[in-house]
């Protein structure tokens, strides 16, 4: 007989781990104890040495579906404690908080069955959950994870729930958010004036939605606005009230079959739609319709993920618009009073409840690429799961960019990327950003010993980092924007050796003080060189040119020596260019897309970032042609003037804009391949990393990686974080880590 000490790290709390262990212990005829610790789960078991080892071996195989075992540590001793049974001990708080927190997961099949069973005591109860499903990250205030440290603390369990909670045979054994209609939160419905109405709240909301009203619905990580999809007028009303003219809305469909009526759903997309994480999946529309929902070729679809959503859809609602409840790009609302105060002009009704949302978490948004998520936004269902880097990191806070803000914190070999936060220029968003940083630091017990930020001095994230570094007297590492993108893609693929990076985005401050964004870099975590780029584009009127994109079209034509007579305000633009009056140069890929979209008559005024590119992609039809590719100079620049001349000539000759849009993107792909080939000749490098928001273009993502692979390159694309600025903080963190590892730079930094 021996005693084994077994420590299991990973997502092992709140996922039904201990009941599973209990069964396993009985099966192996062992005795002992189990307890949750702040770093995982600790077991002490007695039995024959051979049985004990078999038990340890079986653990990973027999773990519950939602558990993620990262490490099992064991030690054996002949000193016995003489256990006679198997006991579960109380949680204890350790100084080191090494445990992982589970993301929020959708309702499980067992709970779904009970929800629909009139004989079950939780029949139609909107907060039904168990150890296999339900809220986690969004309700946790602190660790270790138990009810008192969640927003379920105001709801003491009734005797029935208590019994299940202590019954190791029950699916709700130690399910912290477990509750029922007797003891748990309740849902209620208020009209547009904020008056609480009597009756079945869900039914009232369903009737309001069916009647064409706009209803605010409180979900897991925030409040949504919902309305019917089939009546464009209703959706237009929502757009008007929300002041969201053109940006696509996401839909929630009752099931995959409903989604298939409007979208093409591949087997892989179905799997992701129905997965426990329930992200919004960007699906190709079946026909060009649904323009009132999404003006581009994709529509974002998710399936109901909370029991409340399931009840809301019932048997007869097939799909609803489901968009974040916020006012013009402020953070998604989470609080009842806040919603009632601020949404009275938008919502005709409110389906709310009295369980607080502790942590805001937007819906995740992704495409399926190569059978896996390709994130536009990594948030609910994924956060706060870490990215493993396979190397020991010092505790660092990387503060991200600005428009698609996120941050990362490191501990051990893990990097914890934050949820989607939004545009920091909104005061509310910035406030949310700083609070989330503190929340993560507390939750994961991380005290950053260095800070990383963008080189852009005006980013609010940079200001935050600089002020904090000064206050706390820790080094601040300023990282060039596109270098950070490159490093993010490397880390995302667990690569640390030097690579070629195609970094295409809208804008980022370059090392030379101008705006960059169509870069071919060669580099690693230690540094980079700018191997290639594109001929800079003068932005007439600066930032204004990112909205009034006909200004870019004008600049492209003007530079290409073409007649610009057809463009409105041409004389004004002309004189601004000639006087070089507020015409900063930009080599942003996003600008080239904007300009091309305007030249092709697809979009000349943009109301949201990336709109020109998205619409150009949507307009593209089949065409294998390319425009001339001219590359010269050092850095090796794509001189787009030949391309613009050819594009404008083809357009004047009456060629269809869809074909020209395809030809434009083919040209960029060809240009990219040639840049990489030349970079390989000089550097001998075989790996190309693709990062930056422009790689959210599925036309390019469907073609460029294949072209590069044909040319013998290994292609890295983002897998675990987004390719846009939201994923950038991961790269900042890795570069800061490299900087602190080299003693020289560390002393310089101080
Ligand atoms: Zn469940
Ligand atoms: Zn109860
Ligand atoms: Fe960027």
């Amino acid at each position: 007989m021996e005693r084994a000490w077994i420590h299991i790290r990973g997502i092992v709390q709140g996922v039904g781990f201990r009941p599973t262990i209990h069964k396993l212990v009985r099966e192996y005829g062992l005795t002992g104890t189990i307890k949750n610790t702040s770093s995982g789960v600790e077991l002490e078991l007695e039995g024959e040495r051979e049985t004990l080892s078999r038990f340890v071996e079986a653990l990973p195989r027999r773990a519950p579906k939602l558990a993620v075992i990262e490490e099992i540590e064991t030690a054996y001793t002949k000193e016995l404690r003489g256990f006679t049974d198997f006991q579960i001990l109380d949680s204890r708080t350790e100084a080191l908080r090494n445990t992982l927190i589970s993301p929020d997961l959708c309702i499980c099949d067992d709970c779904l069955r009970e929800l629909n069973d009139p004989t079950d005591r939780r029949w139609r109860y909107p907060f039904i959950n168990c150890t296999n499903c339900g809220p986690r990250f969004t309700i946790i205030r602190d660790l270790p994870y138990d009810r008192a440290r969640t927003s379920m603390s105001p709801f003491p369990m009734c005797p029935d729930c208590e019994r299940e909670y202590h019954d190791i045979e029950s699916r709700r054994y130690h399910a912290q958010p477990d509750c029922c209609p007797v003891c748990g939160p309740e849902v209620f419905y208020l009209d547009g004036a904020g008056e609480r109405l009597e009756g079945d709240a869900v039914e009232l909301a369903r009737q309001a939605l069916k009647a064409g009203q706009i209803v605010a619905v409180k979900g897991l990580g925030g409040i949504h606005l919902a309305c019917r999809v089939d009546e464009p007028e209703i959706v237009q009303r929502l757009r008007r009230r929300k002041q969201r003219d053109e940006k696509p809305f996401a839909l929630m469909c009752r099931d995959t079959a409903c989604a298939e009526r409007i979208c093409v759903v591949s087997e892989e997309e179905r799997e992701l739609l129905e997965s426990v994480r329930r992200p919004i999946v960007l699906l190709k529309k079946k026909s060009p319709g649904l323009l009132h929902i999404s003006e581009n070729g994709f529509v974002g679809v998710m399936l109901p993920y909370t029991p409340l959503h399931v009840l809301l859809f019932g048997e007869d609602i097939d799909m609803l618009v489901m968009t974040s409840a916020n006012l013009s790009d402020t953070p998604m609302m989470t609080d009842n009073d806040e919603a009632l105060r601020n949404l009275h002009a938008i919502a005709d009704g409110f389906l709310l409840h009295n369980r607080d949302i502790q942590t805001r978490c937007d819906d995740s948004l992704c495409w399926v690429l190569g059978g896996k998520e390709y994130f536009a936004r990594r948030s609910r269902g994924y956060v706060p799961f870490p990215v493993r880097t396979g190397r020991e990191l010092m505790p660092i806070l990387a503060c991200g960019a600005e428009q698609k803000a996120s941050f990362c914190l490191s501990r051990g070999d893990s990097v914890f990327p934050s949820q989607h936060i939004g545009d920091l220029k909104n005061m509310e968003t910035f406030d949310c950003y700083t609070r989330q940083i503190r929340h993560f630091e507390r939750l994961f017990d991380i005290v950053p010993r260095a800070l990383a930020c963008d080189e852009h001095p005006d980013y609010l994230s940079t200001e935050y980092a600089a002020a904090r570094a000064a206050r706390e007297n820790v080094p601040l590492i300023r990282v060039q924007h596109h270098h950070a993108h490159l490093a993010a893609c490397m880390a995302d693929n667990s690569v640390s050796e030097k690579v070629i990076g195609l970094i295409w985005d809208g804008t980022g401050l370059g090392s030379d003080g101008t705006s960059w964004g169509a870069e071919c870099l060669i580099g690693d975590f230690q540094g980079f060189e700018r191997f290639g780029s594109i001929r800079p584009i003068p932005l007439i009127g600066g930032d204004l040119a990112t909205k009034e994109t006909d200004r870019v079209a004008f600049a492209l034509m003007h530079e290409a020596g073409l007649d610009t007579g057809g463009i409105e305000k041409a004389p004004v633009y002309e004189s601004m260019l000639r006087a070089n009056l507020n015409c900063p140069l930009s080599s942003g890929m996003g600008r080239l897309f904007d300009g091309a979209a305007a030249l092709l008559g697809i979009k000349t005024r943009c109301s949201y970032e990336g709109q020109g590119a998205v619409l150009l992609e949507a307009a593209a039809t089949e065409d294998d042609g390319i425009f001339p590719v001219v590359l010269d100079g050092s850095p090796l620049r794509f001189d787009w003037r030949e391309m613009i001349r050819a594009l404008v000539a083809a357009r004047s000759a009456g060629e269809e804009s869809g074909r020209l849009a395809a030809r434009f993107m083919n040209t960029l792909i060809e240009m990219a391949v040639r840049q990489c080939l030349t970079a390989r000749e000089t550097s001998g490098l075989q790996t190309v990393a693709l990062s930056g928001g422009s790689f959210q273009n599925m036309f390019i993502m469907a073609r460029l990686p294949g072209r590069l692979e044909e040319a013998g390159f290994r292609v890295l694309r983002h897998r675990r974080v987004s390719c846009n600025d939201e994923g950038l903080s991961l790269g900042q963190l890795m570069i800061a880590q490299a900087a602190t590892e080299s003693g020289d730079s560390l002393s310089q930094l101080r």
Side-chain angles (χ1 to χ4, degrees), residues 121 157-158 161 179-180 182-183:
R121 68 189 190 90
M157 281 183 195
C158 70
C161 286
C179 56
C180 75
V182 175
C183 64

Side-chain angles (χ1 to χ4, degrees), residues 577-648:
L577 266 184
R578 218 173 320 112
N580 193 17
L581 186 74
N582 193 17
C583 292
L585 293 175
S586 164
S587 65
M589 185 54 84
R591 301 295 81 77
L592 201 51
F593 267 94
D594 283 345
L599 283 176
L600 293 175
I602 293 166
K603 194 74 187 167
T604 53
R605 285 274 193 286
C606 290
S607 66
Y608 57 89
E609 141 110 287
Q611 190 178 18
V614 161
L615 293 181
L616 186 139
E617 179 191 347
T621 51
E622 276 308 306
D623 191 296
D624 293 334
I626 60 165
F627 297 121
V629 175
V630 179
L631 285 163
D632 56 33
S634 174
L636 186 65
R637 288 189 195 265
F638 170 48
D639 186 340
W640 36 259
R641 288 177 302 179
E642 271 301 313
M643 173 181 74
I644 295 299
R645 284 192 276 267
L647 182 144
V648 171

Side-chain angles (χ1 to χ4, degrees), residues 203-398:
E203 205 42 49
L204 288 165
R206 283 166 47 74
Q207 293 317 324
L209 285 166
K210 284 191 203 170
Q213 297 191 352
I214 295 165
V215 177
V217 180
K218 190 169 180 180
L220 266 181
I223 296 171
H224 287 112
L225 288 165
C227 74
R228 281 170 70 148
V229 178
D230 54 349
E231 299 277 352
E233 267 166 55
I234 297 169
V235 179
Q236 288 313 331
R237 194 187 313 146
L238 175 59
R239 287 196 182 278
R240 250 191 337 270
R241 292 184 186 176
K242 242 194 121 182
Q243 294 165 31
R244 182 177 169 123
D245 293 341
E246 295 175 311
K247 232 176 179 175
F249 284 137
L251 302 183
M252 188 178 271
C253 291
R254 182 152 49 91
D255 51 29
T256 309
C258 289
E260 276 175 325
R261 296 220 299 267
I262 48 169
C263 302
V264 184
V265 185
S266 71
E267 202 40 55
E268 287 159 344
E269 286 163 340
R270 167 198 300 274
E271 238 168 67
L272 189 57
L273 275 173
E274 295 176 358
S275 77
V276 292
R277 308 190 182 282
R278 297 278 153 111
I280 301 172
V281 182
L282 287 154
L283 300 170
K284 255 211 186 88
K285 288 181 191 169
K286 260 198 174 142
S287 62
L290 282 177
L291 286 176
H292 60 297
I293 302 296
S294 163
E295 56 177 3
N296 66 62
F298 292 88
V299 58
V301 174
M302 60 183 152
L303 301 188
Y305 50 88
T306 67
L308 184 58
H309 293 144
V310 173
L311 294 172
L312 188 65
F313 277 78
E315 295 289 307
D316 53 350
I317 295 180
D318 287 348
M319 56 187 80
L320 292 169
V321 168
M322 225 11 125
T323 183
S324 303
N326 59 2
L327 305 169
S328 52
D329 289 333
T330 55
M332 184 186 212
M333 291 176 198
T334 53
D335 182 69
N336 291 354
D337 293 336
E338 181 193 19
L340 289 168
R341 215 169 36 242
N342 297 319
L343 292 177
H344 58 86
I346 301 180
D348 304 308
F350 297 84
L351 183 62
L352 302 175
H353 58 72
N354 57 348
R355 186 180 71 201
D356 286 343
I357 296 171
Q358 164 64 34
T359 299
R360 174 182 296 115
C361 201
D362 288 69
D363 298 310
S364 292
L365 178 66
C366 59
W367 292 265
V368 173
L369 204 61
K372 273 198 55 129
E373 295 94 333
Y374 187 64
F375 290 104
R377 193 160 79 199
R378 177 188 180 272
S379 209
R380 177 188 48 76
Y382 297 89
V383 175
F385 200 67
V387 171
R388 298 282 167 178
T389 63
R391 54 198 283 182
E392 197 62 18
L393 303 166
M394 98 179 205
I396 296 172
L397 166 65

Side-chain angles (χ1 to χ4, degrees), residues 1-2 28 30 47-58 76:
M1 291 283 283
E2 283 191 28
Y28 281 78
L30 301 168
E48 280 177 19
R49 172 66 189 253
E50 196 260 328
T51 318
L52 288 168
S53 343
R54 274 197 295 121
F55 173 88
V56 173
E57 227 172 87
Y76 295 93

Side-chain angles (χ1 to χ4, degrees), residues 490 494-500 523-525 685 687 714 716:
M490 288 171 56
S494 309
V495 163
S496 54
E497 64 272 11
K498 219 179 221 185
V499 300
I500 301 166
D524 53 19
F525 298 142
L685 299 170
T687 305
R714 174 185 176 207
L716 310 178

Side-chain angles (χ1 to χ4, degrees), residues 107-108 110-111 129-133 171:
I107 181 170
C108 74
D110 289 326
C111 286
N129 68 80
C130 72
T131 49
N132 298 320
C133 73
R171 210 171 80 244

Side-chain angles (χ1 to χ4, degrees), residues 521-678:
L521 307 181
I522 293 177
D524 53 19
F525 298 142
Q526 278 73 32
F528 76 100
E529 69 168 286
R530 191 189 197 194
F531 181 80
S533 185
I534 62 169
R535 181 190 167 88
I537 303 164
L539 300 182
I540 304 169
D543 268 355
L544 203 53
T546 61
K547 296 199 173 69
E548 299 180 7
T549 49
D550 57 343
R551 289 167 183 262
V552 183
F554 179 90
L556 295 178
M557 287 179 77
H558 187 268
E559 295 278 297
L562 295 167
D563 175 26
T564 52
I567 294 180
E568 201 196 334
K569 286 208 225 163
V572 183
Y573 298 162
E574 171 94 50
S575 60
M576 283 178 80
L577 266 184
R578 218 173 320 112
N580 193 17
L581 186 74
N582 193 17
C583 292
L585 293 175
S586 164
S587 65
M589 185 54 84
R591 301 295 81 77
L592 201 51
F593 267 94
D594 283 345
L599 283 176
L600 293 175
I602 293 166
K603 194 74 187 167
T604 53
R605 285 274 193 286
C606 290
S607 66
Y608 57 89
E609 141 110 287
Q611 190 178 18
V614 161
L615 293 181
L616 186 139
E617 179 191 347
T621 51
E622 276 308 306
D623 191 296
D624 293 334
I626 60 165
F627 297 121
V629 175
V630 179
L631 285 163
D632 56 33
S634 174
L636 186 65
R637 288 189 195 265
F638 170 48
D639 186 340
W640 36 259
R641 288 177 302 179
E642 271 301 313
M643 173 181 74
I644 295 299
R645 284 192 276 267
L647 182 144
V648 171
R651 175 106 173 112
S652 313
E655 284 205 61
E656 196 207 328
S657 63
R659 302 190 63 141
L660 299 182
R663 225 174 286 169
F664 167 75
M665 291 187 283
N666 290 340
T667 310
L668 297 180
I669 291 169
E670 178 66 25
M671 179 278 279
V673 173
R674 288 202 209 164
Q675 271 186 339
C676 290
L677 288 172
T678 317

